[in-house]
Amino acid sequence: MTMTSPTHTAPVKLAPAPKGSAPRRPSRFRMGAGQQMRGGPFAYVALAVVGFGSLLPLYWTLVAASRTQDEVLASTPPFLPGGKLLENVETAWEQANLGKAILNSVIVSSSITLATLFFCTLAGYAFAKMRFRGRGWLMTAVIATLTIPPQLSVVPLFMMMSGLGWGGQLESVIFPTLVSAFGVFFMRQYLIEALPYELIEAARIDGANNLRIVVSVVLPVARPAMMVLGMLTFVQAWNDFFWPYLALNQQNPTLQVALGQLSASYTPDQSIVMAGALISTLPLLVVFVVFGKKIVGGIMSGAVKG
Amino acid sequence: MATSTPTRDAYVPPPRQPQKEPPSERRQLWRSRLWRFDDKASPYAYIAPFFLVFGAFGLYPLLYTGWIALHRVEMTGLDSMEWVGWENFDKILHDPEFWTSVSNTFLIGVISTVPQLLVALGLAHLLNYRLRASTFWRTIILTPYATSVASAALVFALVFRADGGLLNWAIGLVGFDDVNWSNGHWTSKIAISVIVIWRWTGYNALIYLAAMQAVPNDLYEAASLDGASRWQQFRKVTIPSLRPTILFTIVISTIGSMQLFGEPLLLEGGALGATGGNENQYETLSIYLYNYGWNLGHLGPAAAVAWAMLALLLIIAAANWFIGRFVRKSAV
């Protein structure tokens, strides 16, 4: 019975469970009690209904993006994609500055992701494995910042950015998001479990200083968690709307800002708006199809300890 | 810091002859001092970036908001601030539209958070069974999380359209009349809540699922030995074990619903989005702030709205805390 070690603090389980381990662990996720029960037909039907509801709006985006507005708004809407996709994409591309928007989104999301990974791994390691005065309440402070909505600081932030000469520039979106409290917490949770003190001690005895330990011990151990955090951060940065919408303008938008302006500026053609929505969603859907398993595992592991 | 040892060597003439004596005492002292400094300073150096960035772009603006709220600042001339005292607060507190947006935010928050978390709980319970292709199901219910607010809001705007909307077509099949979703007071709030629920239910379900899998088996075994049915086990074992997680998701969803911006802004698009409908029927606090600051260009009242949001947040936090305490006490 004591074999079931508490998964409570267990962070990302990225390595597949060893073959031939306990029989009630058929998947790589730890099994709780409920999973000893096989799901009946009802479970599958219910999940299929929810899954259908999850995917329907995405499918409807594709249908609307590949039809004309008249077809989409007809009294009996179409159910299959039409042949107007390229045409609509082209129009959206011209109307909404999408080329620039895609480039901007890539720049913003990748620089935020890289910076977050770097800073959060360092901070997570310090909070997980180093002893220093004030560690407890500083960690509490990090978590407390999670509860502050961005709305509370956008007015002065906007003024600051214009004062710095970053008004309407990508810097104004990148800099406030260089670190994330969630990221620090996530890396800390992972490293507490995944990085044994013995490894650090061994490096220390070999004469490594702290920086050296980070580079040759912490980073290799943290890599799986960094991948997951990287994907989560990228998704979030790519989809961020509120602050970019206030900080950027039509000449220099990210994809989400361009999309918002496409629908808000004049009476929009719905098919063209949907073409824009499709362009902005498609890259992430691809990421989801490829890395879905890891993202699911990452969300589950990051959130266990509320 | 640590690299200064080799640089120091460069200044000392390199000892060509084999060393006869161990490193001088001075050098050893220096070395151990360096180690101690490295040990003491490194953790602070590693966490410093977080606090520096947060201080500069989070905490400082948050406090500065309070100062701006007492001034007249216009979008057209960001450099000139004129002291007006409590005028901005006076203005928004006497604006019926402000109170409409407070109650809208609250109502939309309730009708999006409560069903969302209940469905997520049920969904997590289903996913916790032994299932074929469990990863497939988990990924499917999480896909809405990959969609941005903007894309989601725009698709649902199409679904909820009064004429030619997918939903009205569907309820027409069943024999009901068309509903003007975005014009009604309740229907528009429901429409916005549906967007929120669609995007976040799967995410919350996975959080609950992770917590469910951490519940020790022994508890269920003991419960079933005592003759508890599965429903009783769910109520008496699963839910109590999940209580911290549930509280966590309530806090996170509440804070999230305070921030609703893209969904109402893009529900109808155009000028109506920026005022939250022709009767402000779905105007949230964020929209109200945006409208004052970025549409009308008055940043002072916008900053005052930010402080009103902070006050509301504190009230909600206090309520959460009291409810949490009450639940804990009544459970004992």
Side-chain angles (χ1 to χ4, degrees):
Chain A
M1 281 307 108
T2 48
M3 296 298 286
T4 45
S5 70
T7 37
H8 210 58
T9 51
V12 204
K13 290 276 181 292
L14 291 150
K19 295 264 186 269
S21 57
R24 62 183 146 148
R25 252 186 244 170
S27 97
R28 59 189 197 90
F29 294 101
R30 294 286 189 102
M31 295 299 119
Q35 252 172 337
Q36 289 176 323
M37 287 287 282
R38 200 175 276 283
F42 169 76
Y44 288 102
V45 171
L47 284 174
V49 169
V50 175
F52 178 76
S54 295
L55 296 182
L56 183 64
L58 296 173
Y59 177 70
W60 184 240
T61 309
L62 174 67
V63 171
S66 60
R67 296 262 177 179
T68 64
Q69 167 158 273
D70 290 344
E71 285 171 333
V72 173
L73 302 181
S75 54
T76 305
F79 294 103
L80 292 174
K84 290 268 195 272
L85 183 60
L86 288 181
E87 205 175 301
N88 288 336
V89 166
E90 218 175 296
T91 317
W93 198 278
E94 280 158 19
Q95 283 185 7
N97 209 356
L98 283 190
K100 174 129 200 186
I102 290 175
L103 183 68
N104 282 347
S105 276
V106 169
I107 294 173
V108 166
S109 308
S110 6
S111 41
I112 289 176
T113 304
L114 288 179
T116 302
L117 282 183
F118 182 68
F119 293 134
C120 291
T121 308
L122 276 184
Y125 164 59
F127 280 123
K129 293 289 164 177
M130 298 175 101
R131 290 180 187 287
F132 54 94
R133 199 183 277 269
R135 181 171 83 161
W137 67 263
L138 284 171
M139 191 63 218
T140 311
V142 170
I143 292 174
T145 63
L146 273 174
T147 61
I148 302 174
Q151 271 79 352
L152 299 186
S153 32
V154 286
V155 174
L157 208 52
F158 189 83
M159 294 166 69
M160 275 167 68
M161 291 305 173
S162 120
L164 287 166
W166 290 346
Q169 301 299 309
L170 296 184
E171 285 93 332
S172 61
V173 175
I174 295 173
F175 274 84
T177 340
L178 282 183
V179 295
S180 93
F182 169 77
V184 175
F185 179 70
F186 184 86
M187 292 311 299
R188 172 181 173 264
Q189 294 302 95
Y190 180 77
L191 287 173
I192 284 178
E193 288 269 316
L195 180 64
Y197 278 108
E198 289 82 1
L199 221 52
I200 305 171
E201 285 309 318
R204 227 166 233 287
I205 289 164
D206 288 347
N209 58 38
N210 274 307
L211 201 65
R212 190 63 208 270
I213 292 176
V214 168
V215 172
S216 41
V217 178
V218 179
L219 287 187
V221 171
R223 242 186 48 198
M226 285 170 81
M227 262 191 70
V228 172
L229 178 62
M231 285 185 288
L232 294 178
T233 309
F234 193 89
V235 170
Q236 206 157 14
W238 185 272
N239 285 340
D240 196 12
F241 185 68
F242 179 65
W243 172 240
Y245 193 74
L246 302 189
L248 300 177
N249 51 42
Q250 207 143 12
Q251 282 73 48
N252 195 26
T254 58
L255 256 177
Q256 310 306 331
V257 176
L259 200 53
Q261 284 161 349
L262 187 65
S263 86
S265 49
Y266 42 89
T267 318
D269 182 319
Q270 296 301 331
S271 299
I272 289 166
V273 172
M274 285 299 105
L278 193 65
I279 293 173
S280 97
T281 314
L282 214 52
L284 290 194
L285 283 184
V286 171
V287 170
F288 247 63
V289 170
V290 179
F291 296 108
K293 219 175 184 178
K294 287 201 163 153
I295 296 177
V296 167
I299 285 177
M300 285 180 60
S301 63
V304 176
K305 282 195 89 179
Chain B
M1 291 297 130
T3 48
S4 55
T5 319
T7 9
R8 200 184 143 79
D9 282 346
Y11 290 108
V12 179
R16 284 276 163 250
Q17 303 90 355
Q19 261 187 345
K20 285 167 212 149
E21 45 196 344
S24 71
E25 247 171 63
R26 237 191 91 197
R27 228 186 113 169
Q28 249 178 353
L29 191 71
W30 168 249
R31 202 172 246 265
S32 77
R33 252 194 217 151
L34 206 67
W35 270 102
R36 225 173 317 146
F37 178 74
D38 185 28
D39 265 3
K40 279 233 173 350
S42 290
Y44 294 107
Y46 297 165
I47 63 171
F50 176 86
F51 287 98
L52 288 178
V53 172
F54 173 73
F57 299 110
L59 188 62
Y60 168 71
L62 175 64
L63 299 175
Y64 195 34
T65 305
W67 186 240
I68 295 171
L70 303 172
H71 288 77
R72 174 175 299 126
V73 194
E74 299 299 313
M75 202 51 124
T76 43
L78 288 175
D79 296 329
S80 64
M81 287 172 65
E82 185 195 332
W83 174 266
V84 292
W86 297 102
E87 196 185 293
N88 291 324
F89 286 100
D90 218 43
K91 201 184 266 171
I92 64 161
L93 292 179
H94 287 100
D95 182 2
E97 201 180 318
F98 169 76
W99 295 106
T100 309
S101 65
V102 170
S103 84
N104 285 349
T105 306
F106 180 75
L107 287 176
I108 295 173
V110 171
I111 58 176
S112 62
T113 305
V114 174
Q116 181 192 156
L117 297 184
L118 287 177
V119 172
L121 204 55
L123 212 51
H125 184 69
L126 288 181
L127 288 168
N128 203 21
Y129 283 119
R130 205 156 80 201
L131 295 169
R132 269 171 209 286
S134 61
T135 311
F136 168 77
W137 296 114
R138 290 169 191 183
T139 313
I140 291 284
I141 64 156
L142 191 66
T143 30
Y145 170 79
T147 319
S148 70
V149 185
S151 312
L154 291 172
V155 167
F156 275 96
L158 213 49
V159 170
F160 282 111
R161 261 179 91 94
D163 46 295
L166 198 60
L167 189 60
N168 274 352
W169 169 78
I171 64 175
L173 287 185
V174 198
F176 286 102
D177 285 338
D178 279 2
V179 177
N180 197 339
W181 290 97
S182 56
N183 261 353
H185 281 258
W186 279 105
T187 50
S188 61
K189 293 181 183 74
I190 290 171
I192 287 169
S193 302
V194 167
I195 307 176
V196 178
I197 292 168
W198 180 73
R199 277 189 76 219
W200 292 107
T201 303
Y203 181 86
N204 283 311
L206 288 184
I207 292 179
Y208 288 149
L209 176 61
M212 279 180 190
Q213 299 193 341
V215 179
N217 259 321
D218 319 19
L219 286 180
Y220 290 100
E221 276 161 23
S224 66
L225 279 180
D226 288 344
S229 70
R230 287 206 60 81
W231 171 243
Q232 279 171 326
Q233 288 181 27
F234 181 72
R235 271 194 52 209
K236 305 276 175 169
V237 179
T238 309
I239 298 292
S241 310
L242 253 57
R243 194 174 289 136
T245 314
I246 291 174
L247 207 67
F248 168 77
T249 54
I250 290 176
V251 171
I252 293 293
S253 317
T254 312
I255 294 167
S257 66
M258 286 258 321
Q259 304 177 30
L260 289 178
F261 175 71
E263 294 89 344
L265 184 79
L266 300 174
L267 184 65
E268 286 185 278
L272 283 179
T275 54
N278 44 18
E279 287 175 45
N280 316 113
Q281 66 271 27
Y282 54 89
E283 177 168 27
T284 58
L285 270 168
S286 294
I287 295 274
Y288 185 74
L289 185 155
Y290 164 77
N291 196 26
Y292 242 129
W294 275 258
N295 255 1
L296 306 174
H298 309 312
L299 290 173
V305 177
W307 271 69
M309 286 177 83
L310 180 62
L312 213 61
L313 199 67
L314 291 176
I315 293 171
I316 292 170
N320 262 330
W321 187 74
F322 274 114
I323 292 170
R325 232 173 75 129
F326 175 74
V327 170
R328 257 197 303 279
K329 276 216 171 132
S330 62
V332 170

PDB file of all heavy atoms in Angstrom, chain A residues 282-305:
ATOM      1  N   LEU A 282      -4.364  29.035 -36.210  1.00  0.00           N
ATOM      2  CA  LEU A 282      -3.788  27.851 -36.822  1.00  0.00           C
ATOM      3  C   LEU A 282      -2.411  27.450 -36.272  1.00  0.00           C
ATOM      4  O   LEU A 282      -2.204  26.282 -35.947  1.00  0.00           O
ATOM      5  CB  LEU A 282      -3.720  28.053 -38.339  1.00  0.00           C
ATOM      6  CG  LEU A 282      -3.944  26.790 -39.172  1.00  0.00           C
ATOM      7  CD1 LEU A 282      -5.217  26.086 -38.754  1.00  0.00           C
ATOM      8  CD2 LEU A 282      -3.983  27.136 -40.646  1.00  0.00           C
ATOM      9  N   PRO A 283      -1.471  28.397 -36.117  1.00  0.00           N
ATOM     10  CA  PRO A 283      -0.152  27.976 -35.626  1.00  0.00           C
ATOM     11  C   PRO A 283      -0.235  27.277 -34.275  1.00  0.00           C
ATOM     12  O   PRO A 283       0.426  26.261 -34.050  1.00  0.00           O
ATOM     13  CB  PRO A 283       0.619  29.294 -35.494  1.00  0.00           C
ATOM     14  CG  PRO A 283      -0.102  30.262 -36.329  1.00  0.00           C
ATOM     15  CD  PRO A 283      -1.514  29.835 -36.411  1.00  0.00           C
ATOM     16  N   LEU A 284      -1.094  27.795 -33.394  1.00  0.00           N
ATOM     17  CA  LEU A 284      -1.185  27.186 -32.069  1.00  0.00           C
ATOM     18  C   LEU A 284      -1.883  25.837 -32.124  1.00  0.00           C
ATOM     19  O   LEU A 284      -1.548  24.925 -31.367  1.00  0.00           O
ATOM     20  CB  LEU A 284      -1.923  28.115 -31.112  1.00  0.00           C
ATOM     21  CG  LEU A 284      -1.157  29.378 -30.739  1.00  0.00           C
ATOM     22  CD1 LEU A 284      -1.798  30.033 -29.550  1.00  0.00           C
ATOM     23  CD2 LEU A 284       0.290  29.066 -30.429  1.00  0.00           C
ATOM     24  N   LEU A 285      -2.856  25.704 -33.035  1.00  0.00           N
ATOM     25  CA  LEU A 285      -3.515  24.398 -33.160  1.00  0.00           C
ATOM     26  C   LEU A 285      -2.505  23.346 -33.609  1.00  0.00           C
ATOM     27  O   LEU A 285      -2.526  22.219 -33.136  1.00  0.00           O
ATOM     28  CB  LEU A 285      -4.673  24.487 -34.157  1.00  0.00           C
ATOM     29  CG  LEU A 285      -5.929  25.148 -33.611  1.00  0.00           C
ATOM     30  CD1 LEU A 285      -7.038  25.095 -34.644  1.00  0.00           C
ATOM     31  CD2 LEU A 285      -6.383  24.475 -32.329  1.00  0.00           C
ATOM     32  N   VAL A 286      -1.607  23.755 -34.507  1.00  0.00           N
ATOM     33  CA  VAL A 286      -0.571  22.820 -34.945  1.00  0.00           C
ATOM     34  C   VAL A 286       0.301  22.419 -33.763  1.00  0.00           C
ATOM     35  O   VAL A 286       0.576  21.241 -33.528  1.00  0.00           O
ATOM     36  CB  VAL A 286       0.284  23.443 -36.067  1.00  0.00           C
ATOM     37  CG1 VAL A 286       1.486  22.572 -36.364  1.00  0.00           C
ATOM     38  CG2 VAL A 286      -0.566  23.635 -37.314  1.00  0.00           C
ATOM     39  N   VAL A 287       0.711  23.421 -32.970  1.00  0.00           N
ATOM     40  CA  VAL A 287       1.511  23.136 -31.782  1.00  0.00           C
ATOM     41  C   VAL A 287       0.753  22.164 -30.871  1.00  0.00           C
ATOM     42  O   VAL A 287       1.323  21.228 -30.316  1.00  0.00           O
ATOM     43  CB  VAL A 287       1.825  24.441 -31.022  1.00  0.00           C
ATOM     44  CG1 VAL A 287       2.439  24.146 -29.671  1.00  0.00           C
ATOM     45  CG2 VAL A 287       2.770  25.298 -31.835  1.00  0.00           C
ATOM     46  N   PHE A 288      -0.553  22.373 -30.761  1.00  0.00           N
ATOM     47  CA  PHE A 288      -1.355  21.528 -29.882  1.00  0.00           C
ATOM     48  C   PHE A 288      -1.438  20.096 -30.383  1.00  0.00           C
ATOM     49  O   PHE A 288      -1.407  19.153 -29.596  1.00  0.00           O
ATOM     50  CB  PHE A 288      -2.763  22.114 -29.752  1.00  0.00           C
ATOM     51  CG  PHE A 288      -3.032  22.608 -28.379  1.00  0.00           C
ATOM     52  CD1 PHE A 288      -2.281  23.643 -27.866  1.00  0.00           C
ATOM     53  CD2 PHE A 288      -4.010  22.038 -27.604  1.00  0.00           C
ATOM     54  CE1 PHE A 288      -2.507  24.094 -26.597  1.00  0.00           C
ATOM     55  CE2 PHE A 288      -4.235  22.488 -26.323  1.00  0.00           C
ATOM     56  CZ  PHE A 288      -3.490  23.517 -25.817  1.00  0.00           C
ATOM     57  N   VAL A 289      -1.581  19.947 -31.690  1.00  0.00           N
ATOM     58  CA  VAL A 289      -1.668  18.602 -32.229  1.00  0.00           C
ATOM     59  C   VAL A 289      -0.344  17.871 -32.007  1.00  0.00           C
ATOM     60  O   VAL A 289      -0.306  16.700 -31.642  1.00  0.00           O
ATOM     61  CB  VAL A 289      -2.032  18.651 -33.728  1.00  0.00           C
ATOM     62  CG1 VAL A 289      -1.879  17.281 -34.365  1.00  0.00           C
ATOM     63  CG2 VAL A 289      -3.456  19.154 -33.896  1.00  0.00           C
ATOM     64  N   VAL A 290       0.765  18.600 -32.193  1.00  0.00           N
ATOM     65  CA  VAL A 290       2.068  17.960 -32.084  1.00  0.00           C
ATOM     66  C   VAL A 290       2.450  17.703 -30.623  1.00  0.00           C
ATOM     67  O   VAL A 290       2.901  16.626 -30.249  1.00  0.00           O
ATOM     68  CB  VAL A 290       3.148  18.817 -32.779  1.00  0.00           C
ATOM     69  CG1 VAL A 290       4.517  18.166 -32.637  1.00  0.00           C
ATOM     70  CG2 VAL A 290       2.804  18.986 -34.241  1.00  0.00           C
ATOM     71  N   PHE A 291       2.241  18.706 -29.772  1.00  0.00           N
ATOM     72  CA  PHE A 291       2.728  18.611 -28.387  1.00  0.00           C
ATOM     73  C   PHE A 291       1.600  18.463 -27.372  1.00  0.00           C
ATOM     74  O   PHE A 291       1.832  18.666 -26.192  1.00  0.00           O
ATOM     75  CB  PHE A 291       3.542  19.847 -28.026  1.00  0.00           C
ATOM     76  CG  PHE A 291       4.801  20.011 -28.820  1.00  0.00           C
ATOM     77  CD1 PHE A 291       4.903  20.994 -29.781  1.00  0.00           C
ATOM     78  CD2 PHE A 291       5.874  19.167 -28.603  1.00  0.00           C
ATOM     79  CE1 PHE A 291       6.057  21.144 -30.524  1.00  0.00           C
ATOM     80  CE2 PHE A 291       7.037  19.306 -29.341  1.00  0.00           C
ATOM     81  CZ  PHE A 291       7.130  20.299 -30.301  1.00  0.00           C
ATOM     82  N   GLY A 292       0.383  18.149 -27.843  1.00  0.00           N
ATOM     83  CA  GLY A 292      -0.781  18.127 -26.943  1.00  0.00           C
ATOM     84  C   GLY A 292      -0.522  17.394 -25.641  1.00  0.00           C
ATOM     85  O   GLY A 292      -0.826  17.895 -24.552  1.00  0.00           O
ATOM     86  N   LYS A 293       0.092  16.208 -25.754  1.00  0.00           N
ATOM     87  CA  LYS A 293       0.342  15.367 -24.588  1.00  0.00           C
ATOM     88  C   LYS A 293       1.170  16.126 -23.545  1.00  0.00           C
ATOM     89  O   LYS A 293       0.874  16.105 -22.365  1.00  0.00           O
ATOM     90  CB  LYS A 293       1.132  14.163 -25.068  1.00  0.00           C
ATOM     91  CG  LYS A 293       0.752  12.868 -24.445  1.00  0.00           C
ATOM     92  CD  LYS A 293       1.544  11.767 -25.136  1.00  0.00           C
ATOM     93  CE  LYS A 293       1.118  10.413 -24.615  1.00  0.00           C
ATOM     94  NZ  LYS A 293       1.821   9.325 -25.281  1.00  0.00           N
ATOM     95  N   LYS A 294       2.221  16.790 -24.036  1.00  0.00           N
ATOM     96  CA  LYS A 294       3.120  17.476 -23.109  1.00  0.00           C
ATOM     97  C   LYS A 294       2.432  18.674 -22.476  1.00  0.00           C
ATOM     98  O   LYS A 294       2.639  18.967 -21.290  1.00  0.00           O
ATOM     99  CB  LYS A 294       4.372  17.939 -23.841  1.00  0.00           C
ATOM    100  CG  LYS A 294       5.256  16.784 -24.170  1.00  0.00           C
ATOM    101  CD  LYS A 294       6.677  17.206 -24.427  1.00  0.00           C
ATOM    102  CE  LYS A 294       7.558  15.981 -24.331  1.00  0.00           C
ATOM    103  NZ  LYS A 294       8.766  16.096 -25.125  1.00  0.00           N
ATOM    104  N   ILE A 295       1.626  19.393 -23.260  1.00  0.00           N
ATOM    105  CA  ILE A 295       0.955  20.561 -22.715  1.00  0.00           C
ATOM    106  C   ILE A 295      -0.051  20.132 -21.649  1.00  0.00           C
ATOM    107  O   ILE A 295      -0.134  20.727 -20.571  1.00  0.00           O
ATOM    108  CB  ILE A 295       0.268  21.359 -23.836  1.00  0.00           C
ATOM    109  CG1 ILE A 295       1.333  21.886 -24.794  1.00  0.00           C
ATOM    110  CG2 ILE A 295      -0.534  22.503 -23.276  1.00  0.00           C
ATOM    111  CD1 ILE A 295       0.798  22.620 -25.985  1.00  0.00           C
ATOM    112  N   VAL A 296      -0.797  19.067 -21.953  1.00  0.00           N
ATOM    113  CA  VAL A 296      -1.758  18.547 -20.973  1.00  0.00           C
ATOM    114  C   VAL A 296      -1.035  18.160 -19.690  1.00  0.00           C
ATOM    115  O   VAL A 296      -1.422  18.564 -18.588  1.00  0.00           O
ATOM    116  CB  VAL A 296      -2.510  17.331 -21.560  1.00  0.00           C
ATOM    117  CG1 VAL A 296      -3.255  16.600 -20.471  1.00  0.00           C
ATOM    118  CG2 VAL A 296      -3.464  17.777 -22.643  1.00  0.00           C
ATOM    119  N   GLY A 297       0.066  17.409 -19.841  1.00  0.00           N
ATOM    120  CA  GLY A 297       0.835  17.006 -18.662  1.00  0.00           C
ATOM    121  C   GLY A 297       1.358  18.203 -17.902  1.00  0.00           C
ATOM    122  O   GLY A 297       1.370  18.221 -16.672  1.00  0.00           O
ATOM    123  N   GLY A 298       1.761  19.230 -18.629  1.00  0.00           N
ATOM    124  CA  GLY A 298       2.323  20.420 -17.993  1.00  0.00           C
ATOM    125  C   GLY A 298       1.291  21.166 -17.178  1.00  0.00           C
ATOM    126  O   GLY A 298       1.560  21.571 -16.048  1.00  0.00           O
ATOM    127  N   ILE A 299       0.079  21.312 -17.742  1.00  0.00           N
ATOM    128  CA  ILE A 299      -0.962  22.026 -17.002  1.00  0.00           C
ATOM    129  C   ILE A 299      -1.324  21.244 -15.756  1.00  0.00           C
ATOM    130  O   ILE A 299      -1.487  21.800 -14.667  1.00  0.00           O
ATOM    131  CB  ILE A 299      -2.192  22.249 -17.901  1.00  0.00           C
ATOM    132  CG1 ILE A 299      -1.877  23.363 -18.896  1.00  0.00           C
ATOM    133  CG2 ILE A 299      -3.416  22.607 -17.081  1.00  0.00           C
ATOM    134  CD1 ILE A 299      -2.944  23.652 -19.873  1.00  0.00           C
ATOM    135  N   MET A 300      -1.408  19.913 -15.912  1.00  0.00           N
ATOM    136  CA  MET A 300      -1.787  19.118 -14.752  1.00  0.00           C
ATOM    137  C   MET A 300      -0.720  19.173 -13.665  1.00  0.00           C
ATOM    138  O   MET A 300      -1.028  19.211 -12.490  1.00  0.00           O
ATOM    139  CB  MET A 300      -2.037  17.677 -15.171  1.00  0.00           C
ATOM    140  CG  MET A 300      -3.350  17.525 -15.904  1.00  0.00           C
ATOM    141  SD  MET A 300      -3.675  15.847 -16.415  1.00  0.00           S
ATOM    142  CE  MET A 300      -3.697  14.994 -14.847  1.00  0.00           C
ATOM    143  N   SER A 301       0.540  19.180 -14.080  1.00  0.00           N
ATOM    144  CA  SER A 301       1.592  19.158 -13.064  1.00  0.00           C
ATOM    145  C   SER A 301       1.772  20.523 -12.416  1.00  0.00           C
ATOM    146  O   SER A 301       2.070  20.622 -11.238  1.00  0.00           O
ATOM    147  CB  SER A 301       2.901  18.721 -13.693  1.00  0.00           C
ATOM    148  OG  SER A 301       3.264  19.673 -14.661  1.00  0.00           O
ATOM    149  N   GLY A 302       1.576  21.572 -13.192  1.00  0.00           N
ATOM    150  CA  GLY A 302       1.808  22.902 -12.647  1.00  0.00           C
ATOM    151  C   GLY A 302       0.762  23.306 -11.643  1.00  0.00           C
ATOM    152  O   GLY A 302       0.954  24.225 -10.870  1.00  0.00           O
ATOM    153  N   ALA A 303      -0.374  22.629 -11.678  1.00  0.00           N
ATOM    154  CA  ALA A 303      -1.501  23.133 -10.926  1.00  0.00           C
ATOM    155  C   ALA A 303      -1.860  22.292  -9.717  1.00  0.00           C
ATOM    156  O   ALA A 303      -2.742  22.650  -8.958  1.00  0.00           O
ATOM    157  CB  ALA A 303      -2.714  23.218 -11.844  1.00  0.00           C
ATOM    158  N   VAL A 304      -1.168  21.178  -9.524  1.00  0.00           N
ATOM    159  CA  VAL A 304      -1.606  20.259  -8.475  1.00  0.00           C
ATOM    160  C   VAL A 304      -1.693  20.946  -7.127  1.00  0.00           C
ATOM    161  O   VAL A 304      -2.678  20.829  -6.415  1.00  0.00           O
ATOM    162  CB  VAL A 304      -0.656  19.058  -8.380  1.00  0.00           C
ATOM    163  CG1 VAL A 304      -1.067  18.165  -7.242  1.00  0.00           C
ATOM    164  CG2 VAL A 304      -0.690  18.286  -9.668  1.00  0.00           C
ATOM    165  N   LYS A 305      -0.658  21.685  -6.814  1.00  0.00           N
ATOM    166  CA  LYS A 305      -0.678  22.344  -5.504  1.00  0.00           C
ATOM    167  C   LYS A 305      -1.164  23.758  -5.665  1.00  0.00           C
ATOM    168  O   LYS A 305      -0.424  24.636  -6.041  1.00  0.00           O
ATOM    169  CB  LYS A 305       0.715  22.355  -4.894  1.00  0.00           C
ATOM    170  CG  LYS A 305       1.088  21.033  -4.313  1.00  0.00           C
ATOM    171  CD  LYS A 305       2.281  21.189  -3.416  1.00  0.00           C
ATOM    172  CE  LYS A 305       1.869  21.521  -1.994  1.00  0.00           C
ATOM    173  NZ  LYS A 305       3.015  21.651  -1.110  1.00  0.00           N
TER     174      LYS A 305
END
